[in-house]
């Protein structure tokens, strides 16, 4: 039960966030399903990685140089580690490793479990292989490492051989020219021409020396592509996180997944998520939030939970201090759509609460399609009200309701209040808009009087709209889980368009009896066939009230004309014959 007076004023951002988080907890089934999926995923991940072993080897790369101790040579500028990593992952390396291992599968399957990484700011390649057994992981990691080094060494060696062959061809050509020039000089006489040819010979000799130096330099290169600094060994434990950690991670992921799914469900949920949503939809305060099952009975004395009676009293006090209602004290109680049992319970409880404060309360059941209060309240005959005197009763036969009967309801410790029960009539619209109903509602103009009018659901029938302009305010009774925000907004627009004012709303949660009754009525439809309310509890029945006779009634027996629809509906009592 909530005693806070919820208004339609926009809350601050932290309060909205707290309210949204509380609303997420409404979808416990979705969150639980998310956690369950996360745990199942954790179990699968833990079991699938239980027999997974990882072996690692590392290689420091180097480029061929003449003097490895020369500080002017920068290895990081000579080697491109990105290209080296791609070479290590190439199919050429995988084919060489497959030959070493005697691999019978496909090359792609061997490459699938291989990872090659390069730690930042280093010339190190790290080979990581994942396998089902420790020894297989170590053997394959070492095989790939050796295959890579051999491939790189072969590439460097082939490149040096190609360069040596080219340099040697150039040397042979230059040496041949040098020998020819030497023979020519030997045959030439001394003079300027011989001196010029001698200069050409000298240039050829210098070129020969240069090519010899290059060839010697290439032959002296160290062609080792790198050094293995870590040999892969068989791991002694599985690489998987283990079943406990997998379950923990799965639970965390499941919580996140469940909250995300609940948030998506919350965003697209058409029902009001909280009392604040109801208040914003009707643009009026939520005067009370009833505990579960508070609408199952019609009088506070019948409740086993004292919180329900206190909440009804608090709603009545809040209405009494509302200036829009306190002036003339005429209240219309309606439900949005579907089952009207909750509105019936709220109307009867409010009538008892007003009677408890010393008011002369009259409860009018304006539900002429499915009247139920006459047989469910502890009612007995009462004196006829002013509106039922014979002079004003000329149109009773035409409209059919009200018939001039007023009952008195015993509300226990709260006192008593008057009841004008509803009856089925031929023309509901004519009965509700007739002058007799106007004079009946005007009973609240008397000092210390209060009139509570109960009407059918607004979105099922237009009966409530016919009464809006004759009351001081409307109280909407709704179950947030059974109504849409658009329904509440439409009700507010209809009431405002009919010239009425929404004083507030009462939020409730249907008990099991109400849910069963609502389900039966939903299957029948709002207007399909004759509706029967569920049988009330034994303590809700009372003796059939006696008929109030117009006039003094001491020695006169009046005959009453019976209508065919009353006979079909069974709405004929012993006092009516």
């Amino acid at each position: 039960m909530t005693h806070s007076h919820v208004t339609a004023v926009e809350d601050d951002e932290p309060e909205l966030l707290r309210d949204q988080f509380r609303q997420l907890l409404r979808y416990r089934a979705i969150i639980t399903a998310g956690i369950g999926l996360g745990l199942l995923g954790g179990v699968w991940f833990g079991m699938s990685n239980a027999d997974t072993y990882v072996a690692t080897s590392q290689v420091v790369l180097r480029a061929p140089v003449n003097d490895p101790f020369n500080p002017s040579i920068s290895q990081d500028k000579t080697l491109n580690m990105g290209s080296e990593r791609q070479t290590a992952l190439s199919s050429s390396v995988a084919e060489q490793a497959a030959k070493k291992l005697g691999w019978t599968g496909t090359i792609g399957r061997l490459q699938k479990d291989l990872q090659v990484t390069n730690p930042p700011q280093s010339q190190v390649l790290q080979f990581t292989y994942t396998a089902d057994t420790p020894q297989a992981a170590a053997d394959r990691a070492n095989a790939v490492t050796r295959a890579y080094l051999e491939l790189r060494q072969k590439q460097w060696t082939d490149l040096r051989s190609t360069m040596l062959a080219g340099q040697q061809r150039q040397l042979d050509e230059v040496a041949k020219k040098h020998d020819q020039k030497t023979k020519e000089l030997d045959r030439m006489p001394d003079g300027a021409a011989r001196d010029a040819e001698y200069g050409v010979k000298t240039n050829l000799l210098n070129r020969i020396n240069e090519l010899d130096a290059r060839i010697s330099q290439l032959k002296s290169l160290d062609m080792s592509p790198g050094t293995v600094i870590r040999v892969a060994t068989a791991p002694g434990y599985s690489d998987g996180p283990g079943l406990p950690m997998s379950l923990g991670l799965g639970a965390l992921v499941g919580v996140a997944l469940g909250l995300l799914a609940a948030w998506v469900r919350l965003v697209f949920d058409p029902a009001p998520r909280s009392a604040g949503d109801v208040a914003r939809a009707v643009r009026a305060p939520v005067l009370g939030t009833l505990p579960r099952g508070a609408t199952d009975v019609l009088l506070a004395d019948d409740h086993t939970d004292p919180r329900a009676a206190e909440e009804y009293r608090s709603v009545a006090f809040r209405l009494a201090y509302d200036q829009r209602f306190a002036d003339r004290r005429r209240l219309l109680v309606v439900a949005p759509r579907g089952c009207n049992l909750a509105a019936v319970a709220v109307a009867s409880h409010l009538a008892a609460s007003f009677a408890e404060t010393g008011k002369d309360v009259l409860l009018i059941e304006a539900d002429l399609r499915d009247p139920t209060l006459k047989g469910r309240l502890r009612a007995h005959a009462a004196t006829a009200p002013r509106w039922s005197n014979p002079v004003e009763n000329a149109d009773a036969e035409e409209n059919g309701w009200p018939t001039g009967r007023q009952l008195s309801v015993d509300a226990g410790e709260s006192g008593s209040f008057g009841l004008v029960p509803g009856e089925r009539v031929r023309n509901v619209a004519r009965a509700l808009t007739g002058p007799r109903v106007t004079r009946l509602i005007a009973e609240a103009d008397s000092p210390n009087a209060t009139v509570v009018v109960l009407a059918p659901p607004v979105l099922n029938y237009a009966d409530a709209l016919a009464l809006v302009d004759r009351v001081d305010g409307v109280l909407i009774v709704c179950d947030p889980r059974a109504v849409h925000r658009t329904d509440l907004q439409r009700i507010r627009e209809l009431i405002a368009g009919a010239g009425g004012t929404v004083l507030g709303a009462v939020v409730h949660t249907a008990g099991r009896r109400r849910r069963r009754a609502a389900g039966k009525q939903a299957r029948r439809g709002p207007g399909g066939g004759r509706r029967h309310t569920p049988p009330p509890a034994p303590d809700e029945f009372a003796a059939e009230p006696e008929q109030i006779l117009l006039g003094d009634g001491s020695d006169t027996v009046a005959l009453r004309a019976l209508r065919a629809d009353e006979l079909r509906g069974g709405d004929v009592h012993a006092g009516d014959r």
Side-chain angles (χ1 to χ4, degrees):
M1 179 177 62
T2 304
H3 291 286
S4 59
H5 190 83
V6 182
T7 63
V9 181
E10 293 291 338
D11 298 324
D12 55 0
E13 184 175 353
E15 182 62 29
L16 288 176
L17 291 176
R18 287 191 293 269
D19 180 69
Q20 189 177 42
F21 183 77
R22 285 194 295 267
Q23 294 308 314
L24 286 177
L25 299 180
R26 289 176 51 186
Y27 307 104
R28 296 183 181 88
I30 297 179
I31 297 176
T32 303
I35 295 175
L37 289 176
L39 290 175
L40 289 177
V43 171
W44 173 82
F45 184 75
M47 297 298 293
S48 62
N49 290 275
D51 296 330
T52 301
Y53 298 90
V54 176
T56 303
S57 63
Q58 292 180 338
V59 177
V60 177
L61 302 183
R62 57 183 299 274
V65 293
N66 292 326
D67 185 5
F69 301 103
N70 188 354
S72 63
I73 300 177
S74 179
Q75 292 287 336
D76 58 343
K77 295 181 180 179
T78 305
L79 295 172
N80 187 331
M81 298 306 298
S83 299
E84 297 296 333
R85 178 176 175 275
Q86 293 301 321
T87 301
L89 291 170
S90 65
S91 58
S92 299
V93 174
E95 289 174 357
Q96 293 295 327
K99 292 179 181 179
K100 296 179 179 296
L101 294 169
W103 183 264
T104 57
T106 61
I107 300 300
R109 181 67 183 85
L110 179 63
Q111 290 179 299
K112 179 181 178 182
D113 298 323
L114 174 65
Q115 289 185 349
V116 180
T117 57
N118 169 229
Q121 305 298 324
S122 69
Q123 285 76 49
V124 176
L125 282 183
Q126 179 172 291
F127 295 80
T128 304
Y129 202 93
T130 305
D132 296 336
T133 60
Q135 192 60 45
D139 293 343
R140 294 171 189 176
N142 290 327
V144 173
T145 303
R146 291 194 301 270
Y148 167 74
L149 290 177
E150 291 174 359
L151 177 63
R152 293 303 293 149
Q153 186 169 11
K154 181 178 182 301
Q155 290 175 344
W156 286 117
T157 302
D158 292 345
L159 178 60
R160 183 180 67 172
S161 300
T162 302
M163 294 179 67
L164 283 173
Q167 296 289 338
Q168 188 64 46
R169 284 194 301 269
Q170 295 182 34
L171 179 61
D172 294 341
E173 291 177 0
V174 174
K176 183 178 180 181
K177 291 179 181 180
H178 180 269
D179 293 341
Q180 291 177 357
K181 188 61 66 177
T182 300
K183 293 179 181 179
E184 291 176 0
L185 287 174
D186 291 341
R187 292 191 299 265
M188 291 181 65
D190 294 337
R194 189 175 186 276
D195 293 339
E197 292 296 329
Y198 189 80
V200 174
K201 177 185 175 183
T202 303
N203 291 336
L204 291 174
L205 182 60
N206 291 335
R207 178 61 176 168
I208 291 173
N209 294 333
E210 180 181 353
L211 290 173
D212 282 337
R214 289 183 178 180
I215 291 173
S216 298
Q217 186 178 12
L218 287 174
K219 290 181 178 180
S220 66
L221 288 177
D222 182 6
M223 303 307 296
S224 175
T227 304
V228 178
I229 61 175
R230 179 179 178 182
V231 178
T233 58
Y237 52 87
S238 173
D239 185 65
L243 187 59
M245 184 174 291
S246 298
L247 287 176
L249 293 176
L252 291 178
V253 173
V255 170
L257 182 63
L259 290 177
L260 177 62
W263 179 80
V264 172
R265 177 68 177 86
L266 180 65
V267 169
F268 292 99
D269 188 2
R273 299 187 297 267
S274 63
D277 279 354
V278 175
R280 283 185 285 271
V282 301
R283 295 184 184 178
V286 173
L287 301 178
T289 302
L290 303 178
R292 184 182 298 274
T295 60
D296 287 344
V297 295
L298 300 186
L299 292 176
D301 290 345
D302 298 331
H303 281 291
T304 58
D305 187 357
R307 297 179 302 165
E310 292 301 322
E311 186 66 13
Y312 281 118
R313 292 188 182 98
S314 66
V315 173
F317 275 112
R318 289 165 186 165
L319 285 171
Y321 285 101
D322 192 329
Q323 193 62 35
R324 296 170 295 179
F325 172 76
D327 290 340
R328 294 189 297 176
R329 302 172 305 282
R330 292 184 290 198
L331 179 66
L332 177 64
V333 180
V334 296
R337 66 165 73 247
C339 182
N340 202 37
L341 299 178
V344 172
V346 171
S348 62
H349 280 94
L350 288 180
S353 298
F354 286 130
E356 192 176 20
T357 62
K359 301 291 185 181
D360 295 331
V361 183
L362 178 63
L363 175 59
I364 303 174
E365 186 182 16
D367 187 353
L368 307 184
R369 302 177 187 274
D370 189 17
T372 60
L373 283 177
K374 182 170 57 177
R376 300 182 61 198
L377 291 173
R378 297 189 292 267
H380 55 82
T383 58
R386 293 192 305 273
W387 51 265
S388 64
N389 60 67
V391 178
E392 298 179 354
N393 201 29
D395 58 347
E397 291 298 329
E398 179 183 356
N399 293 336
W401 183 85
T403 59
R405 290 191 304 164
Q406 178 176 338
L407 307 178
S408 179
V409 178
D410 181 12
E413 295 181 357
S414 299
S416 62
F417 58 88
L419 170 65
V420 176
E423 296 181 4
R424 290 188 176 89
V425 296
R426 293 178 180 177
N427 193 322
V428 176
R430 180 178 298 178
L432 293 177
T433 56
R436 288 178 52 77
V437 176
T438 302
R439 292 193 297 270
L440 175 61
I441 297 177
E443 287 282 309
D445 293 337
S446 303
N448 203 40
T450 300
V451 171
V452 179
V453 183
L454 173 66
V458 179
L459 299 180
N460 285 1
Y461 307 101
D463 300 356
L465 301 179
L467 302 169
V468 164
D469 59 342
R470 280 171 281 183
V471 297
D472 300 299
V474 179
L475 181 66
I476 300 175
V477 181
C478 65
D479 181 358
R481 300 185 181 183
V483 69
H484 292 177
R485 287 189 294 271
T486 55
D487 292 342
L488 296 177
Q489 294 169 359
R490 177 164 174 75
I491 290 173
R492 173 181 53 79
E493 294 171 356
L494 291 174
I495 292 174
T501 302
V502 178
L503 296 179
V506 173
V507 178
H508 72 94
T509 301
R512 287 188 292 271
R513 289 177 55 195
R514 289 286 182 259
R515 286 197 295 269
R516 289 196 299 268
K520 293 178 181 178
Q521 183 166 336
R523 289 190 294 271
R524 287 192 298 268
R530 179 174 299 168
R531 296 170 294 170
H532 299 281
T533 58
D539 58 346
E540 294 187 41
F541 283 106
E544 180 67 27
E546 299 177 0
Q547 172 66 33
I548 300 298
L549 301 178
L550 301 180
D552 60 2
S554 59
D555 55 359
T556 303
V557 177
L559 297 178
R560 176 168 172 252
L562 298 180
R563 295 185 296 272
D565 58 331
E566 290 182 327
L567 293 174
R568 287 193 301 270
D571 193 18
V572 179
H573 309 291
D576 295 335
R577 297 185 177 89

